[in-house]
Amino acid sequence: MSFTSVWAGLAALLLIPAIVLLHWLHRQQRQQVVPSTYLWQRLSQRLVHRTYWRRLLTSPLFWLQILAAVFLALALSDPHWHSRATPLPPVWQVILDESASMRAVGENGQTRFALAQRVLDQLSRDAPPQVRWQILTASPQPQALGDDLDPRKPSTRALWAGRQPAHGPADWQATIRLARALRPPRTQQVVLVTDGALDNSIVSELDTPSAPVIVHLARQGADRPNVGITRFDLTPLGESVSQYQALVTLFNTGPGTASYTLDWKVNGAPLRSAPPQQGLIPPGREVSLLVRLALLPGQVVEAHLSPADALNDDNQAFRVTLPLRRAKILLVTPGNPALAHGLSIFPGVQVVTMTPPGAPGTSRRPFPLPDWDDYDLAIFDRIPPPSLPPLPWIAWGLPAAALEQALPPLQAHFWAQWLSHHPESSTPVIAPTTLDWDEDHPLSQYVSWDEIHVRSAWPLPTLLGGLPLWESAGGPLVQLGPERPGYLIIAFDLTQTDWPLQYSFPVWLKNLLDWSLPWAAEAVGPSLHTGEPLPLRSLPARLFPPAGVTDVPFRSAHLPPVSHRPYVQPTIPLRTLLSPAVPPAQAASREGTARPLIIVGPDGYREPFERSAPPSAGAAGTTALWSAPLTAPYGGYWLEQAGQVVAGWSINLLSQEESDLRLRLTTLTTAAAPRAASPPPPLPRGANSRPLQLPAVVILTLVLLAEALLFVWESRPVSPRQPLPSSRWSTRKGGAG
């Protein structure tokens, strides 16, 4: 047995003298004259003719306290019991490289990954019989294939027999973190089966118990010529929708000068308007080509290299030109020509103006409920929005009482509490004074908020986690909400300002469209590696409604003027803040009626795209919902809804590290082939360690419980029904005492 924290246990043993001292102090008594000893009979029987130590050694309460102190010291010392009867077998941690460079082909036509599979077969046959394996993969998304495996079993060999290398570069940092986290304490050796296309610094971070056995396969295809595409950028020329500029970078990793021919394809067919480019590249050098292409929106552009070489995955690169998409904006307003005209001047934007019945100056015609799937942005100008719109929205010129139902549950609860303590919120602030504004936010670029003259504004609180862009003495005039989809609250009425007459107004509208509809301004889809997530900013936000959102009508058929709407503080229970606002059955029915999203890719690739709410994205919009599978083919991908293209992207290799097939492992290479690998050390008579801290804590708890029960038992009062004990004051035979 061994102890991890010896000093903590010894310090706890000091409680034993303290317990003896407490019993000694409890021994001191004082004399007191009492009329009767009836209530002290039980105690006096225990104290008669006993010394202090005799009473102490026969006290059950004392021994329970000593036992509790001993087990407390045992628990704090963290004991471990070691048994040599059943030693655990040692473990080899085997890391299989599944990066794209493992697809390189040698002179015999065999890939590096096929050779790696043969290496693992040979190692499994040569491994000592008592050794167990833990198998990990190094890929764009590393994973553990199994733990405590017998390498001689056919089920273990089947783990790597049916696998294929990924179509992207390996994430070695994630692989190292996974290997160090899953490595058992009885690990004897780390075996890395790789092509050697990684640096020594990466292997040194493995922190192995001994020198790692590196089985490298760099001779397989390392001496063959290889020219790869490491960069492919496609950008439109100005505002043109048919003229694009392509930048392609080629890298020669072969041992000698290589010739290349770069040609272009569109949707799989040769692009005749762009002649092929030919040239020579010295070894270890790269060359960049700038080509002008005539393309149409909605096409897959491919840059193709010939002739074939050691690695064909880097001989092709793809980009997609997005189709012409029109962002549809819903403008709910009683009338605002400046705002409607300012939005409609931008190309690719369609503004649909609606006026609900009951708004000032409108008729009593029925108001149709909008289909949120048809819109990308909703603007509510002096008209209260419905509850939590499932797309980016802007509230303009509304008091705090009219915005409560449009906020998420937690924000609505905070909003209601603020309203209950600020009854003056129904009165606008005249000529609010500017205090500060955010100059760094994209919505504030080239906009001087202090130059805008506002006649009146509604006093509003700052949202929980919100970002005020323009603050005044009466509260934020312009602020952003922290939740998705993004929403913007403006406290003043646009018709009560001179902002439409200033140059900054159309500039701000452009900033607004770029912030709320970033995907609408993109002409070329993003390029992804295998395993890399799809940026959320490239997809319309209406595809991901927040949890608990359902289609709801406006709050009443006839809306009175906003300034005269009475406000009633709602009662929001806590479960409403922590649970979705829609019952599961209703949410399921809405999900079933939604138009499905389908991902369509090359070679017949089809996959349903889940329509659910992603986590909240940061300012850069890097949060994603879909990641490219490890075996997804290279090419262009489209996201379709009801036959219409919603978004597009491409998957490529484009990695200089994977295109470089040369051996980069030098000093840490300990084995050039599986036969030459250094044999592992003999099996030690390792000990099997079992912690005993938890049993000690359990026994300590039971002892303390027994001590408490004994203390209660001895402290109970004497029952009045108990017969009087005999004493010198009790009644004697034949007479009264």
Side-chain angles (χ1 to χ4, degrees):
M1 180 181 292
S2 64
F3 300 92
T4 305
S5 304
V6 180
W7 292 108
L10 294 177
L13 289 178
L14 296 177
L15 291 176
I16 296 178
I19 294 173
V20 176
L21 180 61
L22 289 176
H23 280 269
W24 175 268
L25 296 176
H26 183 68
R27 169 181 174 271
Q28 298 179 1
Q29 304 175 359
R30 60 188 181 93
Q31 294 182 356
Q32 180 69 35
V33 179
V34 295
S36 174
T37 62
Y38 164 67
L39 297 178
W40 284 270
Q41 275 301 332
R42 182 179 302 153
L43 182 62
S44 62
Q45 291 177 3
R46 201 172 352 137
L47 297 177
V48 174
H49 303 299
R50 294 187 183 183
T51 63
Y52 165 70
W53 290 107
R54 185 177 178 183
R55 292 196 308 268
L56 186 65
L57 296 179
T58 58
S59 172
L61 190 61
F62 170 75
W63 288 111
L64 285 177
Q65 293 172 350
I66 295 297
L67 194 62
V70 171
F71 277 100
L72 177 62
L74 190 64
L76 293 178
S77 61
D78 192 11
H80 286 76
W81 177 261
H82 303 281
S83 173
R84 299 179 62 87
T86 56
L88 296 177
V91 174
W92 285 10
Q93 190 177 54
V94 181
I95 303 176
L96 175 61
D97 188 356
E98 288 189 351
S99 59
S101 60
M102 297 291 286
R103 294 176 173 268
V105 181
E107 294 293 344
N108 56 358
Q110 189 179 26
T111 64
R112 292 182 174 182
F113 194 76
L115 180 58
Q117 291 173 326
R118 293 197 309 173
V119 165
L120 290 177
D121 292 338
Q122 185 65 37
L123 285 177
S124 63
R125 288 190 292 266
D126 296 342
Q130 62 271 41
V131 170
R132 295 296 181 263
W133 280 17
Q134 182 188 67
I135 306 177
L136 309 177
T137 63
S139 62
Q141 296 176 353
Q143 57 180 324
L145 300 183
D147 192 11
D148 200 14
L149 302 173
D150 188 353
R152 285 180 169 79
K153 289 186 177 181
S155 59
T156 303
R157 298 181 183 179
L159 292 177
W160 63 75
R163 298 188 64 85
Q164 293 293 332
H167 287 177
D171 190 347
W172 285 106
Q173 296 298 329
T175 303
I176 291 172
R177 290 193 298 267
L178 181 65
R180 296 178 62 175
L182 299 182
R183 184 179 302 154
R186 50 195 173 95
T187 300
Q188 185 187 63
Q189 191 60 265
V190 175
V191 181
L192 179 59
V193 182
T194 178
D195 57 357
L198 67 159
D199 298 329
N200 295 329
S201 59
I202 296 178
V203 181
S204 62
E205 294 180 8
L206 283 173
D207 193 17
T208 56
S210 59
V213 175
I214 303 176
V215 183
H216 64 76
L217 315 166
R219 299 303 303 172
Q220 184 76 1
D223 53 353
R224 295 189 58 193
N226 183 64
V227 178
I229 302 176
T230 59
R231 180 180 178 182
F232 181 22
D233 294 333
L234 187 66
T235 55
L237 292 175
E239 299 295 335
S240 176
V241 296
S242 61
Q243 298 296 323
Y244 293 81
Q245 183 173 269
L247 175 62
V248 180
T249 301
L250 310 179
F251 182 53
N252 180 17
T253 64
T257 302
S259 61
Y260 69 88
T261 300
L262 179 66
D263 50 15
W264 302 90
K265 297 181 181 180
V266 174
N267 295 336
L271 182 61
R272 302 188 182 277
S273 60
Q277 284 80 32
Q278 298 179 349
L280 298 175
I281 306 179
R285 301 292 297 274
E286 64 180 15
V287 62
S288 297
L289 304 175
L290 193 62
V291 184
R292 186 169 180 174
L293 304 176
L295 305 171
L296 295 177
Q299 292 182 333
V300 179
V301 186
E302 176 186 358
H304 184 265
L305 271 178
S306 58
D309 47 23
L311 183 62
N312 290 327
D313 287 35
D314 58 3
N315 291 345
Q316 53 185 352
F318 300 86
R319 297 301 295 264
V320 296
T321 60
L322 298 176
L324 296 178
R325 298 170 295 175
R326 181 176 293 273
K328 203 171 182 180
I329 300 178
L330 174 64
L331 177 58
V332 183
T333 176
N336 196 331
L339 184 58
H341 179 71
L343 292 172
S344 61
I345 63 175
F346 296 99
V349 174
Q350 179 184 1
V351 181
V352 178
T353 303
M354 291 187 180
T355 303
T362 61
S363 60
R364 301 286 179 169
R365 64 182 185 276
F367 181 74
L369 179 67
D371 186 0
W372 298 120
D373 286 340
D374 293 336
Y375 298 98
D376 303 293
L377 175 65
I379 301 178
F380 301 94
D381 176 35
R382 293 166 289 167
I383 301 296
S387 299
L388 198 59
L391 73 166
W393 58 276
I394 303 171
W396 212 315
L398 289 171
L403 291 172
E404 179 193 341
Q405 296 185 9
L407 298 174
L410 186 60
Q411 297 283 5
H413 182 66
F414 163 74
W415 207 269
Q417 296 297 326
W418 183 88
L419 283 171
S420 63
H421 295 85
H422 296 80
E424 72 280 0
S425 61
S426 58
T427 303
V429 178
I430 306 301
T433 304
T434 299
L435 296 181
D436 192 12
W437 67 88
D438 190 347
E439 300 178 352
D440 301 327
H441 196 272
L443 284 173
S444 300
Q445 290 184 357
Y446 311 110
V447 177
S448 299
W449 297 104
D450 59 339
E451 296 180 357
I452 303 173
H453 298 87
V454 179
R455 179 180 300 177
S456 63
W458 296 103
L460 300 177
T462 303
L463 294 167
L464 294 175
L467 177 62
L469 300 182
W470 184 10
E471 297 184 80
S472 68
L477 298 178
V478 180
Q479 61 175 322
L480 285 172
E483 297 88 1
R484 290 192 56 86
Y487 56 95
L488 184 68
I489 298 178
I490 302 177
F492 55 87
D493 183 1
L494 183 62
T495 60
Q496 300 296 318
T497 68
D498 62 347
W499 197 10
L501 303 179
Q502 298 186 17
Y503 293 108
S504 62
F505 183 67
V507 174
W508 186 83
L509 291 180
K510 180 63 169 61
N511 296 341
L512 175 65
L513 296 179
D514 294 340
W515 167 80
S516 59
L517 310 172
W519 55 269
E522 295 181 355
V524 180
S527 177
L528 308 178
H529 292 290
T530 302
E532 185 178 358
L534 178 66
L536 192 61
R537 66 182 306 274
S538 61
L539 301 175
R542 58 179 170 81
L543 301 179
F544 315 106
V549 172
T550 183
D551 293 332
V552 293
F554 285 92
R555 276 173 283 182
S556 61
H558 307 289
L559 294 177
V562 174
S563 58
H564 300 288
R565 294 183 70 254
Y567 171 72
V568 179
Q569 180 180 355
T571 302
I572 304 178
L574 181 61
R575 62 177 180 270
T576 306
L577 304 178
L578 304 178
S579 60
V582 179
Q586 186 177 356
S589 62
R590 184 182 186 274
E591 184 72 17
T593 58
R595 289 171 284 185
L597 298 170
I598 304 296
I599 300 176
V600 180
D603 303 333
Y605 182 92
R606 293 182 66 87
E607 178 187 357
F609 190 83
E610 295 184 3
R611 182 188 176 98
S612 59
S616 179
T622 56
T623 306
L625 187 68
W626 180 85
S627 297
L630 298 181
T631 58
Y634 302 122
Y637 289 76
W638 305 103
L639 180 62
E640 297 182 354
Q641 184 180 39
Q644 300 293 327
V645 174
V646 178
W649 61 91
S650 59
I651 297 179
N652 301 285
L653 180 57
L654 298 180
S655 174
Q656 184 172 342
E657 290 76 13
E658 296 300 315
S659 296
D660 191 355
L661 303 179
R662 297 170 296 182
L663 174 65
R664 296 198 291 275
L665 286 176
T666 55
T667 58
L668 291 178
T669 301
T670 61
R675 294 290 187 179
S678 58
L683 269 176
R685 283 284 297 173
N688 189 10
S689 176
R690 296 181 181 179
L692 299 179
Q693 188 177 32
L694 181 59
V697 173
V698 173
I699 297 177
L700 173 63
T701 305
L702 295 178
V703 171
L704 293 177
L705 181 60
E707 180 183 348
L709 293 177
L710 181 61
F711 179 79
V712 173
W713 172 264
E714 292 187 349
S715 302
R716 75 188 192 283
V718 178
S719 175
R721 296 182 180 180
Q722 185 174 352
L724 293 175
S726 60
S727 65
R728 60 178 178 173
W729 291 286
S730 48
T731 305
R732 296 189 177 96
K733 273 186 179 181

